[in-house]
């Protein structure tokens, strides 16, 4: 979603802000802008669309710039008001002396706007953000102090915000504030940064201070002052970012998505590292901070997540119930928050999120915390807001994921669920020891099997070529791979804009079968050796009888499948319970190649954002 970067120091400000915004680009946006303090003036540059347009605008107007030393930049993902130049950030007050960039949503902006209009403020845009600009200017007129003006203003805001403010009369100072939206300060030598996310600053510094809700940061070239909402100084810990700037490079791949798909074998090795030593030793999961005796007696778990993370959660439910015999409910965070749940202090609530910033999941987690549940967070961002709400935290260590479509973070989440479910089973003694050893042995083999899939993608590419012109798809499976069908269909939808639905294979005959004809490909996920293979095969036959085109994703070597299916995508042999870690890979690749053939913007699909920070 939106992104913010601010800089004050001796480097080329335009370059620092532009680089920062480029590194936030993956979050999704529709317009961009910068405000630069230059020779005592505030100069604003805004454009619609991609950052290249902002670059051209800066180039065309470069004669206007003399020596900027301080600036704030923003990429906007429209919430209030269409994507347009007038709605793009930064926004200004009446006189243009004060500028603001903002992430989040101000819920009471209409009331504030009415009051400010009565005071003579002239609004130019439809955004909630412009309200903040007028409000802070109004407070500044009274307090004559930018920090106090920001503090007095944010006290009046309801909703979520991360804001950066500059004022013409307050040289080389950026004031930032946050509530329910991330914001951090990057510490440098004779320079400082402020941003909504770490990629914006990682090229310049790894030293970071994360602001908490209701904190205000006053940032100059040589100082950072952080206070709470009452103006008391807050002593903050300086943390060191774990990532290298190289994580933001495509390393020769055409898209980040393809690079990230190829990183999966190493990501899995990373997840297992230090937790699964050998098949004879128990899983080490020190991250789970619940007493073993409590874990033994645990009889209810709730998992909440959105999108791809929700699909990992569905696999997680299957594993925990199968391995540890604990009842698990899985729900989309956006629904959980509207339900009178039976969550209580004896419920373990697991929140799953790649970004750790998804607003719906954060709200759901807060709700669970109010009910005194132990909250376990599985996330790729141990530095995120969600991670800060955790009683127990499992960082999935997939490395930064740039492409909007989640791939490696999904496999890392799946692996975390395998470890958690086995850990619970070992504590409860609920699984046969030999069976556990076999599972561990197979888990260790998974990266090599994914490497095998990645080393020959010709059938997947052929399938993509053959089917890229189809307008609708159904993905079917049963059991633990139902989530793989959901996830495969989501991947196709989000990056190729083709309508794809994941469906329980057994449900096909209860409605969707009516849609089947030669224009509807059905992709079946069939893993032999388990309990679902024959049934999914029969459901595929039923689809064939209605003239549907058939694609199989299977580990079976049965040659007769080549007669039934139009295309058979084969993966290495794997037991059904572990197969979601393998089946997701060809489905990611299929979506990728179809989107590629259709010329779509693979890494930044339209209307989507990497972190969805609004409910
Ligand atoms: O960061 P999160 O895992 O909480 O995000 C949840 C969804 O927004 C996310 O998984 C989304 O569905 C992805 N774009 C899927 O590829």
């Amino acid at each position: 979603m939106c992104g913010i970067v601010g800089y004050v120091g001796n480097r080329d400000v335009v370059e620092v802000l532009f680089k920062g915004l480029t590194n936030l680009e993956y979050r999704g946006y529709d317009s961009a802008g910068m405000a630069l303090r230059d020779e005592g003036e505030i100069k604003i540059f805004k454009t619609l669309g991609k950052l290249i347009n902002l670059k051209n605008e800066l180039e065309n107007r470069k004669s206007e710039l003399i020596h900027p030393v301080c600036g704030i930049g923003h990429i906007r993902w429209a919430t209030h008001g269409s994507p347009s130049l007038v709605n793009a950030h930064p926004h200004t007050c009446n006189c243009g002396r004060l500028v603001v960039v903002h992430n989040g949503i101000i819920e009471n902006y209409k009331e504030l706007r009415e009051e400010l209009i009565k005071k003579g403020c002239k609004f130019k845009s439809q955004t909630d953000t412009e309200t903040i600009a007028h409000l802070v200017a109004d407070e500044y007129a009274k307090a004559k102090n930018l920090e106090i003006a920001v503090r007095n203003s944010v006290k009046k805001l309801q909703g979520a915000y991360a804001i950066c403010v500059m004022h013409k009369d307050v040289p080389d100072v950026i004031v930032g504030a946050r509530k329910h939206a991330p914001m951090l300060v990057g510490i440098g030598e004779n320079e400082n940064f402020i941003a909504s996310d770490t990629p914006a600053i990682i090229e310049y510094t790894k030293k970071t201070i994360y602001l908490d809700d209701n904190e205000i940061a006053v940032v100059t070239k040589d100082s950072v002052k952080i206070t709470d909402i009452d103006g008391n100084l807050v002593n903050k810990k300086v943390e060191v970012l774990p990532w290298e700037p190289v994580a933001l490079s495509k390393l020769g791949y055409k898209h980040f998505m393809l690079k990230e798909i190829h990183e999966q074998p190493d990501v899995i090795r990373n997840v297992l590292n230090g937790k699964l030593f050998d098949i004879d030793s128990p899983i080490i999961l020190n991250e789970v901070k619940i007493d073993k005796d409590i874990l033994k007696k645990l009889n209810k778990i709730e998992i909440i997540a959105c999108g791809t993370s929700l699909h990992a959660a569905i696999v997680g439910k299957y594993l925990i119930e199968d391995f540890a015999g604990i009842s698990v409910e899985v729900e989309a965070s956006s629904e959980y928050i509207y339900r009178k749940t039976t969550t209580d202090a004896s419920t373990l609530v697991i929140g799953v999120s790649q970004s750790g910033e998804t607003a719906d999941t954060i709200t759901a987690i807060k709700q669970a915390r109010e009910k005194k549940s132990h909250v376990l967070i599985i996330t790729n961002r141990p530095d995120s807001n969600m991670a800060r709400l955790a009683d127990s935290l499992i960082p999935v260590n997939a490395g930064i994921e740039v492409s909007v479509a989640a791939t490696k973070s999904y496999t890392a989440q799946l692996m975390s669920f395998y470890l958690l479910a086995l850990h619970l089973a070992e504590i409860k003694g609920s699984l046969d020891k030999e069976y556990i050893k076999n599972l561990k042995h197979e888990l260790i083999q998974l990266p090599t099997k994914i490497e095998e899939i990645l080393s020959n993608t010709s059938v997947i590419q052929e399938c993509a070529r053959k089917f890229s012109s189809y307008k609708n798809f159904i993905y079917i499976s049963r059991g633990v791979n139902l989530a793989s069908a959901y996830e495969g269909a989501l991947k196709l939808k989000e990056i190729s804009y083709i309508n794809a639905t994941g469906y329980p294979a057994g449900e096909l005959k209860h409605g969707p079968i009516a849609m089947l004809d030669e224009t509807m490909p059905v992709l079946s996920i069939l893993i032999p050796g388990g309990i679902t293979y024959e049934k999914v095969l029969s459901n595929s036959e039923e689809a064939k009888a209605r003239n549907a085109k058939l694609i199989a994703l299977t580990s079976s070597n049965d040659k007769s499948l080549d007669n039934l299916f139009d295309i058979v995508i084969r993966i290495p042999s794997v037991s059904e319970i572990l197969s979601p870690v393998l089946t997701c890979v060809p489905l990611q690749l299929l979506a990728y190649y179809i989107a590629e053939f259709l010329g779509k913007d693979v890494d930044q699909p339209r209307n989507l954002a990497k972190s969805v920070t609004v409910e």
Side-chain angles (χ1 to χ4, degrees):
M1 297 211 133
C2 305
I4 292 177
V5 57
Y7 175 71
V8 48
N10 297 327
R11 293 180 198 254
D12 181 333
V13 181
V14 173
E15 194 183 301
V16 174
L17 296 187
F18 196 81
K19 189 102 217 152
L21 293 179
T22 306
N23 286 348
L24 294 178
E25 231 189 346
Y26 70 96
R27 299 169 66 91
Y29 67 105
D30 41 57
S31 59
M34 272 182 203
L36 302 166
R37 191 186 163 81
D38 186 24
E39 301 288 307
E41 296 296 321
I42 300 248
K43 299 173 182 170
I44 295 180
F45 301 80
K46 298 192 207 185
T47 45
L48 255 185
K50 295 286 177 188
L51 278 173
I52 183 71
N53 300 339
L54 183 63
K55 191 174 192 173
N56 292 338
E57 172 80 354
L58 285 158
E59 187 58 32
N60 294 341
R61 291 173 52 198
K62 77 169 177 235
S63 60
E64 292 174 35
L65 291 175
I66 302 159
H67 181 54
V69 283
C70 176
I72 50 180
H74 189 263
I75 47 176
R76 173 177 188 252
W77 187 84
T79 56
H80 295 61
S82 60
S84 68
L85 211 51
V86 79
N87 288 334
H89 301 208
H91 287 281
T92 62
C93 60
N94 274 7
C95 64
R97 300 168 88 84
L98 182 138
V99 276
V100 171
V101 291
H102 162 228
N103 287 359
I105 288 181
I106 303 304
E107 284 159 8
N108 60 336
Y109 83 102
K110 282 192 182 138
E111 297 90 296
L112 293 170
R113 191 177 164 116
E114 291 305 312
E115 282 170 30
L116 289 160
I117 289 174
K118 281 186 202 143
K119 288 183 175 177
C121 296
K122 304 233 177 318
F123 279 78
K124 300 175 275 293
S125 75
Q126 292 89 49
T127 62
D128 50 344
T129 304
E130 194 183 348
T131 315
I132 307 174
H134 291 290
L135 185 62
V136 182
D138 187 51
E139 291 294 338
Y140 183 78
K142 293 182 243 167
K144 301 281 183 265
N145 175 305
L146 191 57
E147 179 191 339
I148 296 174
V150 169
R151 182 172 298 109
N152 290 345
S153 303
V154 294
K155 282 181 182 167
K156 296 183 179 169
L157 301 178
Q158 287 164 17
Y161 56 82
I163 56 170
C164 277
V165 182
M166 288 196 311
H167 197 293
K168 183 174 183 296
D169 302 343
V170 189
D172 310 335
V173 173
I174 302 172
V175 180
R178 68 151 273 182
K179 187 172 183 185
H180 305 324
M183 173 146 274
L184 54 96
V185 176
I187 313 288
E189 293 284 322
N190 294 321
E191 60 178 356
N192 286 308
F193 305 78
I194 186 156
S196 54
D197 201 359
T198 47
I201 59 162
I202 196 154
E203 307 238 1
Y204 304 103
T205 181
K206 286 183 158 193
K207 286 203 230 154
T208 317
I209 295 172
Y210 292 95
L211 293 193
D212 284 307
D213 279 354
N214 297 312
E215 286 180 346
I216 290 158
V218 180
V219 180
T220 71
K221 188 157 79 79
D222 358 74
S223 68
V224 173
K225 177 182 152 196
I226 299 182
T227 50
D228 65 16
I229 199 76
D230 299 317
N232 303 309
L233 270 182
V234 187
N235 228 338
K236 302 286 290 188
K237 191 171 140 216
V238 177
E239 296 180 34
V240 179
L241 296 174
W243 289 320
E244 296 300 328
V246 73
L248 296 168
S249 146
K250 288 188 200 142
L251 295 179
Y253 288 94
K254 188 165 180 195
H255 295 100
F256 279 107
M257 182 178 177
L258 193 58
K259 172 192 163 216
E260 287 157 4
I261 290 173
H262 278 263
E263 283 171 347
Q264 291 177 111
D266 283 342
V267 165
I268 293 179
R269 290 184 183 108
N270 247 350
V271 180
L272 295 181
N273 191 16
K275 297 189 171 66
L276 171 53
F277 286 99
D278 57 64
I279 59 169
D280 296 311
S281 317
I283 303 284
I284 312 275
L285 213 48
N286 295 333
E287 289 89 344
V288 180
K289 311 260 182 246
I290 312 179
D291 195 87
K292 287 204 170 140
D293 287 331
I294 298 179
L295 277 181
K296 249 186 209 163
K297 289 186 212 127
L298 197 68
N299 57 13
K300 189 175 156 212
I301 295 179
E302 290 176 348
I303 317 182
I304 37 192
C306 302
T308 290
S309 298
L310 181 63
H311 300 151
I314 297 172
V315 177
K317 168 187 164 76
Y318 200 98
L319 301 177
I320 294 170
E321 291 187 339
D322 198 66
F323 294 176
I326 303 170
S327 153
V328 181
E329 280 175 24
V330 174
E331 195 164 16
S333 318
S334 53
E335 289 303 317
Y336 181 90
I337 55 185
Y338 297 115
R339 205 163 53 79
K340 198 168 166 193
T341 60
T342 55
T343 317
D344 60 21
S346 64
T347 317
L348 168 63
V349 175
I350 305 179
V352 193
S353 173
Q354 184 285 127
S355 63
E357 300 295 350
T358 301
D360 289 317
T361 308
I362 289 182
T363 307
I365 293 299
K366 285 183 178 163
Q367 221 162 284
R369 284 189 70 88
E370 275 165 23
K371 301 218 173 163
K372 311 269 180 280
S373 307
H374 185 100
V375 169
L376 164 64
I377 300 292
I378 299 179
T379 182
N380 195 29
R381 298 294 300 263
D383 54 341
S384 62
N385 268 320
M386 216 178 286
R388 279 151 214 274
L389 294 171
D391 298 305
S392 297
L393 174 68
I394 303 186
V396 302
N397 295 329
I400 193 157
E401 190 175 66
V402 173
S403 180
V404 164
T407 53
K408 63 175 180 170
S409 62
Y410 177 67
T411 36
Q413 288 168 349
L414 291 184
M415 291 306 292
S416 302
F417 272 118
Y418 282 101
L419 292 174
L420 178 64
L422 279 175
H423 179 60
L424 292 172
E426 287 183 329
I427 289 171
K428 293 190 70 165
S430 51
L431 274 188
D432 174 71
K433 291 211 168 81
E434 274 312 299
Y435 181 64
I436 293 189
K437 276 189 191 180
N438 289 339
L439 284 177
K440 286 179 178 167
H441 177 73
E442 251 204 275
L443 278 172
I444 296 167
Q445 311 286 311
L446 288 174
T448 316
K449 292 185 179 178
I450 295 185
E451 273 158 358
E452 212 177 301
I453 297 172
L454 295 172
S455 67
N456 185 357
T457 59
S458 55
V459 177
I460 304 170
Q461 293 198 49
E462 183 200 335
C463 184
R465 213 169 292 120
K466 198 163 173 176
F467 287 99
S468 58
S469 60
Y470 285 74
K471 301 284 177 259
N472 300 289
F473 280 76
I474 295 187
Y475 286 45
I476 57 167
S477 196
R478 288 175 183 248
V480 73
N481 271 305
L482 176 56
S484 313
Y486 292 150
E487 175 56 12
L490 175 64
K491 284 285 91 78
L492 184 62
K493 258 190 286 222
E494 71 177 328
I495 62 168
S496 71
Y497 321 146
I498 292 173
N499 178 31
T501 312
Y503 227 79
E507 283 290 298
L508 206 57
K509 58 188 171 297
H510 297 290
I513 202 164
M515 298 191 299
L516 299 189
D517 62 17
E518 60 290 343
T519 66
M520 176 72 87
V522 174
L523 186 150
S524 310
I525 306 170
L526 316 104
I527 304 299
I531 46 179
T532 63
Y533 181 81
E534 293 300 336
K535 287 270 166 37
V536 181
L537 197 56
S538 307
N539 300 135
S540 309
E541 301 262 13
E542 288 156 16
K544 182 79 169 182
R546 274 83 189 173
N547 294 326
K549 298 281 178 223
L550 291 195
I551 304 163
L553 173 58
T554 184
S555 53
S556 165
N557 285 325
D558 181 354
K559 291 280 169 260
S560 71
L561 294 182
D562 298 282
N563 300 327
L564 175 63
F565 290 88
D566 295 277
I567 285 206
V568 181
I569 300 171
R570 287 197 160 85
I571 57 171
S573 141
V574 60
S575 62
E576 187 180 13
I577 194 77
L578 296 182
S579 62
V581 184
L582 296 195
T583 53
C584 68
V585 179
L587 298 180
Q588 295 164 349
L589 285 166
L590 182 62
Y592 172 80
Y593 287 119
I594 290 181
E596 232 307 68
F597 288 143
L598 296 175
K600 303 295 183 206
D601 188 350
V602 172
D603 284 332
Q604 289 170 39
R606 69 184 181 201
N607 305 336
L608 286 176
K610 186 69 181 162
S611 322
V612 184
T613 50
V614 292
E615 280 179 20

